[in-house]
Amino acid sequence: MFVNTRRILIEWGDCDPAGIVFFPRYLAFFDGCTWALFTTALGMRKSQLLTHYGTIGCPMVDLHTRFLIPSTYGDEVVVDFINGDPDRPI
């Protein structure tokens, strides 16, 4: 199992007028975490990976989320990205 942890500071632009994170921003955070995982696991940045493998990106195909509490400006969110399938390494 491979785990990559990323800390994200919630910025003013991530929040809606009510002062909480606008939920689609989490999807952007997850996309960034995906590329951070690839960078850590493969030692290549996004631009290098795209060129090396001749692809245009990495789609998020099946995503499930649970919003337990709201995040607000100034919060630090910790995202643990886990590859839980040992037969399918990154």
Side-chain angles (χ1 to χ4, degrees):
M1 178 166 41
F2 186 83
V3 178
N4 191 57
T5 300
R6 187 171 186 215
R7 296 180 177 280
I8 300 168
L9 180 63
I10 302 301
E11 301 289 347
W12 180 84
D14 297 322
C15 299
D16 64 15
I20 60 174
V21 173
F22 183 51
F23 75 92
R25 291 294 305 140
Y26 286 103
L27 302 181
F29 298 156
F30 298 157
D31 182 63
C33 291
T34 299
W35 289 107
L37 175 75
F38 290 153
T39 298
T40 301
L42 302 174
M44 287 189 250
R45 298 185 62 88
K46 180 179 181 178
S47 59
Q48 295 168 311
L49 283 164
L50 297 177
T51 301
H52 181 78
Y53 292 103
T55 185
I56 59 170
C58 179
M60 287 188 275
V61 177
D62 187 18
L63 184 66
H64 300 269
T65 60
R66 286 186 315 151
F67 299 99
L68 302 177
I69 59 173
S71 300
T72 60
Y73 173 68
D75 286 349
E76 183 178 65
V77 176
V78 178
V79 178
D80 290 323
F81 198 114
I82 302 168
N83 173 24
D85 186 351
D87 296 326
R88 190 172 178 186
I90 300 215

